[in-house]
Amino acid sequence: MAMSNGRLFVGSFHGFNAWDVTGEGAPQLVLSVVCPGGQGDVSVHGDLLFMSVEQNRARLDCGVRDAEGEVNAERFRGIRIFDISDLSAPRQIAAVQTCRGSHTHTQVPDPNDSNVLYIYNSATSGVRKSDELAICQDGEPGENPETALYSIDVIKVPLDAPEQAAIVSRPRIFADRETGEIAGLWKGGRFGVAGQESGATNHCHDITVYPELNLAAGACSGNGILLDISDPENPSRVSDLFDPDMAYWHSATFNTAGDKVLFTDEWGGGTSARCRAEDPATWGADLIATVEDGKLEGQGLYKLPGVQTSTENCVAHNGTLIPVPGRDLMVQAWYQGGVSIVDFTDPARPVEIAWFDRGPIDAERLKVGGHWSAYWFNGRIYASEIARGFDVLRLKPSEHLSAAEIAVAERVMQETINPQTQTRPAWGDHPDVAGAYLDQLTRSDGLDAALAGQVRAVVDEWREGDLDEARAAELSATLAAAAAAEAASEEGNKIDAARMASLAGVLERAAQPA
């Protein structure tokens, strides 16, 4: 899914739909495009929609008749580009052919040229015949160093002439940095007695970029990787991570600060019941890694705690951050496990704070369905549901999530949102922002009760439009000193110290004359 200008674009194996989500009522369907070929991953930039296509049945003309045979001149696998400036008459204006099609893709803006957009293409399927696409060759690197395996595609899109979009590089991001061996990461198979079968790292399933930090995180079958994208046409790997509990590294999400990455593991491919009581709690889960001096370090694992039945396909799947300052919160889909919100602020102790579960499609036999992805878009959770379209969910206050925290998250609005292109949220200085930090410190017992009461009184007055600026400045100084002492203590809570410092900053700025 992607959102732009009040429209929610939802891809599928058969095309894509667009919904008007600007009103308070139910979303209204405004566009439906039939264009078969799977996987149907979509993203939007201005008047352009990009769509991933990987199946052999897909045709250049979006026709519904399969492109048959091993070689077919009418077959299309790669990235389609549509002009959606007129939603009543969308039209395909470009189709960039790739060797392995496109399972997912990621937009990467050129940092120096606003007229250029790059697309990182992640492909997971087999290599096409060279008779069909001349640039394509198959095989392992030892037999064929020109193989289309062990690389991603970088597509350059001139925004003033998108019909000229083309592949400009196919970087070997899995190569051994010392020897140059193309297949330089996990070779696949089982690791250790307790390990499970895991995929070989010859492709990425998902790549998420954080352009502001010049970083990308790749979930690449057998490894999680970190990329330097300061030169977006030539991304380079700076770190990689392997874990025997991860069967198939599926997606990656940075936290707001960019010093953590949450990777998901699609153990079993998404069609099996993997959240039963007897299933390992470390398989088909999330792995939370920290980024320390440019290096990934695994810290903790999180799996949906609600036990599911044998008729519910369930495993970790796609999600995004919920923009609450002071916390790292992610909403994600778990197929028929539903939707879960995990707090991974402490990467070694991730915990669920909210959930939505519709129950099994069929209590007697397994039918594949459930939530494919769950994304926070402008104050709501949109969860694509395989069996019934998509659900729109709203957060409710609880002991784990306060009204102020929800209000702050709902204030963050963006015109365009593509989940795999992360941007830093801007909260500004507002009573709810101060209230969110204060609620977090109260929940963790991180602040003296008397001081917390004094701060809350000032924040409440600010919310009513009657801020005591002198008192706010005084409390800001007290909080800043407490934060410094907490951070300096060997036993201090560094998370709460950061929250106190942030709260002090909000009050200090609020106290300054307009």
Side-chain angles (χ1 to χ4, degrees), residues 97-275:
Q97 298 272 22
T98 67
C99 291
R100 304 178 70 182
S102 177
H103 197 77
T104 68
H105 68 270
T106 306
Q107 292 189 14
V108 188
D110 188 303
N112 302 311
D113 188 346
S114 60
N115 186 53
V116 172
L117 179 70
Y118 290 97
I119 301 293
Y120 287 178
N121 178 50
S122 300
T124 65
S125 58
V127 178
R128 302 164 77 163
K129 301 290 185 182
S130 57
D131 291 345
E132 185 171 273
L133 189 61
I135 63 170
C136 303
Q137 296 184 42
D138 201 355
E140 290 298 315
E143 304 168 354
N144 180 11
E146 302 303 317
T147 180
L149 303 175
Y150 301 94
S151 63
I152 62 170
D153 302 303
V154 178
I155 297 168
K156 185 176 183 179
V157 184
L159 294 174
D160 58 356
E163 67 280 359
Q164 297 177 15
I167 295 173
V168 291
S169 69
R170 293 193 288 172
R172 299 295 195 182
I173 58 173
F174 313 125
D176 186 295
R177 288 191 290 271
E178 294 182 359
T179 67
E181 179 189 356
I182 293 171
L185 297 180
W186 179 243
K187 302 295 193 291
R190 187 180 298 275
F191 183 88
V193 176
Q196 59 178 311
E197 287 290 332
S198 54
T201 303
N202 63 26
H203 66 273
C204 288
H205 183 282
D206 272 66
I207 296 174
T208 295
V209 298
Y210 205 150
E212 184 176 341
L213 301 178
N214 285 325
L215 290 176
C220 304
S221 185
N223 292 92
I225 67 173
L226 191 68
L227 298 170
D228 179 344
I229 60 168
S230 53
D231 177 1
E233 202 163 301
N234 298 286
S236 61
R237 190 179 85 255
V238 294
S239 182
D240 50 82
L241 186 61
F242 171 81
D243 190 288
D245 282 321
M246 299 285 282
Y248 187 79
W249 299 68
H250 179 273
S251 62
T253 304
F254 287 98
N255 69 334
T256 298
D259 58 8
K260 302 188 192 91
V261 183
L262 186 150
F263 293 98
T264 65
D265 174 17
E266 195 183 38
W267 171 40
T271 62
S272 303
R274 299 298 201 211
C275 301

Side-chain angles (χ1 to χ4, degrees), residues 139-418:
E140 290 298 315
E143 304 168 354
N144 180 11
E146 302 303 317
T147 180
L149 303 175
Y150 301 94
S151 63
I152 62 170
D153 302 303
V154 178
I155 297 168
K156 185 176 183 179
V157 184
L159 294 174
D160 58 356
E163 67 280 359
Q164 297 177 15
I167 295 173
V168 291
S169 69
R170 293 193 288 172
R172 299 295 195 182
I173 58 173
F174 313 125
D176 186 295
R177 288 191 290 271
E178 294 182 359
T179 67
E181 179 189 356
I182 293 171
L185 297 180
W186 179 243
K187 302 295 193 291
R190 187 180 298 275
F191 183 88
V193 176
Q196 59 178 311
E197 287 290 332
S198 54
T201 303
N202 63 26
H203 66 273
C204 288
H205 183 282
D206 272 66
I207 296 174
T208 295
V209 298
Y210 205 150
E212 184 176 341
L213 301 178
N214 285 325
L215 290 176
C220 304
S221 185
N223 292 92
I225 67 173
L226 191 68
L227 298 170
D228 179 344
I229 60 168
S230 53
D231 177 1
E233 202 163 301
N234 298 286
S236 61
R237 190 179 85 255
V238 294
S239 182
D240 50 82
L241 186 61
F242 171 81
D243 190 288
D245 282 321
M246 299 285 282
Y248 187 79
W249 299 68
H250 179 273
S251 62
T253 304
F254 287 98
N255 69 334
T256 298
D259 58 8
K260 302 188 192 91
V261 183
L262 186 150
F263 293 98
T264 65
D265 174 17
E266 195 183 38
W267 171 40
T271 62
S272 303
R274 299 298 201 211
C275 301
R276 301 163 300 177
E278 63 266 31
D279 292 320
T282 56
W283 291 12
D286 299 333
L287 183 148
I288 298 96
T290 52
V291 181
E292 303 172 16
D293 297 323
K295 184 178 180 181
L296 291 168
E297 296 284 352
Q299 300 293 341
L301 293 162
Y302 167 81
K303 189 169 184 178
L304 183 77
V307 173
Q308 306 298 306
T309 70
S310 60
T311 67
E312 295 174 281
N313 58 304
C314 176
V315 74
H317 221 244
N318 294 47
T320 58
L321 295 184
I322 298 176
V324 174
R327 301 178 77 178
D328 296 323
L329 304 182
M330 178 166 155
V331 57
Q332 71 177 119
W334 290 78
Y335 287 100
Q336 285 190 75
V339 174
S340 176
I341 297 176
V342 56
D343 182 337
F344 65 103
T345 310
D346 182 344
R349 297 174 182 83
V351 61
E352 182 180 67
I353 64 166
W355 55 270
F356 172 82
D357 187 358
R358 55 159 281 176
I361 295 172
D362 190 319
E364 301 300 323
R365 60 193 181 97
L366 176 63
K367 292 183 178 179
V368 174
H371 291 105
W372 181 279
S373 58
Y375 299 136
W376 177 269
F377 288 156
N378 290 342
R380 297 293 181 270
I381 295 166
Y382 294 88
S384 57
E385 220 279 357
I386 296 170
R388 65 173 186 230
F390 68 92
D391 294 327
V392 185
L393 309 175
R394 185 173 187 173
L395 295 175
K396 294 171 59 178
S398 72
E399 61 180 312
H400 306 295
L401 190 66
S402 71
E405 290 174 303
I406 294 172
V408 171
E410 290 182 346
R411 281 167 48 85
V412 177
M413 306 294 285
Q414 296 175 270
E415 183 173 314
T416 299
I417 308 173
N418 294 300

Side-chain angles (χ1 to χ4, degrees), residues 75-98:
R75 175 173 290 129
F76 176 74
R77 294 172 63 197
I79 299 288
R80 297 190 194 274
I81 305 177
F82 289 87
D83 182 332
I84 55 170
S85 56
D86 181 358
L87 283 180
S88 67
R91 57 193 181 92
Q92 181 176 274
I93 58 173
V96 183
Q97 298 272 22
T98 67

Side-chain angles (χ1 to χ4, degrees), residues 35-90:
C35 190
Q39 175 113 351
D41 188 28
V42 295
S43 69
V44 178
H45 187 287
D47 291 331
L48 301 177
L49 179 141
F50 301 86
M51 180 178 180
S52 289
V53 182
E54 83 173 340
Q55 295 178 334
N56 278 331
R57 64 174 172 143
R59 301 174 59 88
L60 274 167
D61 62 1
C62 283
V64 297
R65 181 169 56 85
D66 287 359
E68 299 177 338
E70 284 195 354
V71 175
N72 191 317
E74 297 179 339
R75 175 173 290 129
F76 176 74
R77 294 172 63 197
I79 299 288
R80 297 190 194 274
I81 305 177
F82 289 87
D83 182 332
I84 55 170
S85 56
D86 181 358
L87 283 180
S88 67

